Amino acid sequence: MSIHSRPKKSLGQNFLHDTNVIQKIIRSFDAQPTENVLEIGPGRGALTSMLMEQLPHLTAVELDNELAASLQMTYGDRLTLLHQDILSVDLRAIAAERGKKLRIIGNIPYNITSPILFHVIDTRDAVQDFMVMMQTEVAARLVAKPRTKDYGILSIFAQYYAAPRLLFGVSRNSFFPIPAVTSAVVSMNFTTPADPTAENDVLFRTIVRGTFGKRRKTMRNGLKSLNVPPEVLDTLSVNLDWRPEELTVADFVLLSNQLLPIAGIITPLVSDDEHA
Ligand code: SAM
């Protein structure tokens, strides 16, 4: 790519230039020619150029005017370039159009990592897997286990809806301009169904967000503030003296299923669009 305009901080532009890292990402992703691949934020095309060596067609979403135009010019018809915000892209429509679930890859703008994750999670029926570069701290939260400082809402949702794997770390020096934080590549797979499964997805999310919203509270107090009546509290199988970070993903799923009969009276404390 020949575009060398000033990187825009507002768009989270830190371009990968380390060939070894680029090759490692592409090798781990292992795109096959018949697959329906979507790249988020191709930028100057560090990953794009290698993906184009493996694929007859690629869909990419890039918000930057100049970079979008340049990519389109370079790759012509082989690249469907959506010049828009990834958060407004209808992933289901792209999967339907090409008759295949999406494989998503990207070195994404870090300031919208959580919204992107939730956008993908919310359309997971159209997504096979997702492999992205993110800030190391966020990657650590995605794969965190109970009773650790990183374990929270993001860990539970990521581990419930997908199977996040921390693949490798990436040094700050692999980017231009050099970012303030270190990075890591994470992959998530949406093809294995959760076990156990929450019977009411909204209720499950409400319980997780509602109890973790008051992280230092015990489950008893967290559930009380969600309007769970005392007589129902007594019937639940979780230890009510525990704090939310002591419960596993499965504990939260079972809890939300036990609360199904009173779903109608549970009051969300936090709106569902507040991202983790
Ligand atoms: N993939 C390139 C690389 O690895 O060098 C660029 C990565 S850079 C961290 C993130 C890219 O996402 C930039 O090209 C930026 O313009 C683009 N971007 C920022 N916000 C976006 C959004 N909301 N939707 C789509 N692309 C966006």
Side-chain angles (χ1 to χ4, degrees):
M1 296 281 316
S2 56
I3 280 281
H4 285 292
S5 60
R6 235 180 142 80
K8 299 182 182 80
K9 214 174 168 180
S10 61
L11 290 179
Q13 292 182 349
N14 294 94
F15 300 109
L16 253 178
H17 61 70
D18 183 330
T19 317
N20 287 332
V21 173
I22 297 169
Q23 281 172 344
K24 204 166 166 183
I25 295 174
I26 296 293
R27 256 201 319 272
S28 310
F29 189 66
D30 192 25
Q32 301 300 314
T34 54
E35 290 175 338
N36 186 8
V37 178
L38 177 135
E39 184 185 357
I40 302 175
R44 292 179 179 169
L47 300 173
T48 324
S49 63
M50 292 205 136
L51 288 168
M52 286 312 245
E53 287 173 15
Q54 302 174 328
L55 298 166
H57 174 269
L58 175 75
T59 305
V61 186
E62 174 57 64
L63 197 51
D64 185 296
N65 300 343
E66 256 179 297
L67 295 176
S70 169
L71 285 159
Q72 191 65 83
M73 195 130 73
T74 308
Y75 296 108
D77 287 352
R78 292 181 56 216
L79 180 72
T80 301
L81 197 289
L82 305 174
H83 178 204
Q84 63 187 99
D85 179 348
I86 179 63
L87 300 176
S88 68
V89 170
D90 184 345
L91 300 174
R92 281 195 187 101
I94 303 172
E97 201 177 307
R98 306 196 75 83
K100 217 168 243 181
K101 284 194 181 192
L102 290 167
R103 295 200 65 207
I104 302 177
I105 184 169
N107 171 17
I108 60 179
Y110 291 179
N111 57 333
I112 52 167
T113 302
S114 276
I116 292 177
L117 275 171
F118 279 91
H119 186 50
V120 173
I121 283 174
D122 287 339
T123 43
R124 61 193 174 281
D125 50 303
V127 181
Q128 180 181 321
D129 64 347
F130 180 54
M131 189 171 136
V132 280
M133 176 95 77
M134 58 181 69
Q135 195 176 327
T136 307
E137 283 76 7
V138 180
R141 285 166 62 198
L142 289 184
V143 299
K145 295 293 167 221
R147 298 169 192 262
T148 63
K149 72 170 178 23
D150 288 326
Y151 186 67
I153 296 175
L154 202 57
S155 329
I156 295 179
F157 289 159
Q159 291 167 33
Y160 175 67
Y161 293 111
R165 282 196 308 140
L166 188 54
L167 299 183
F168 48 89
V170 179
S171 142
R172 293 163 62 226
N173 299 325
S174 302
F175 303 88
F176 173 78
I178 298 178
V181 295
T182 57
S183 302
V185 175
V186 172
S187 78
M188 296 172 88
N189 192 305
F190 293 91
T191 56
T192 316
D195 180 26
T197 306
E199 287 171 48
N200 179 330
D201 215 48
V202 175
L203 179 63
F204 167 66
R205 290 195 192 196
T206 303
I207 304 289
V208 173
R209 285 186 193 283
T211 52
F212 262 104
K214 311 270 175 205
R215 195 179 170 104
R216 297 311 307 156
K217 275 194 182 181
T218 59
M219 287 303 290
R220 181 188 318 280
N221 288 335
L223 290 168
K224 265 192 206 158
S225 9
L226 283 172
N227 211 20
V228 177
E231 63 276 16
V232 176
L233 282 178
D234 291 339
T235 66
L236 301 172
S237 58
V238 296
N239 185 336
L240 294 172
D241 294 327
W242 280 6
R243 298 187 198 287
E245 68 258 30
E246 296 179 88
L247 269 65
T248 63
V249 177
D251 288 335
F252 274 105
V253 172
L254 295 173
L255 179 61
S256 78
N257 287 347
Q258 286 180 327
L259 290 171
L260 201 58
I262 60 152
I265 64 161
I266 289 184
T267 324
L269 294 176
V270 206
S271 79
D272 197 44
D273 57 10
E274 187 181 303
H275 292 108

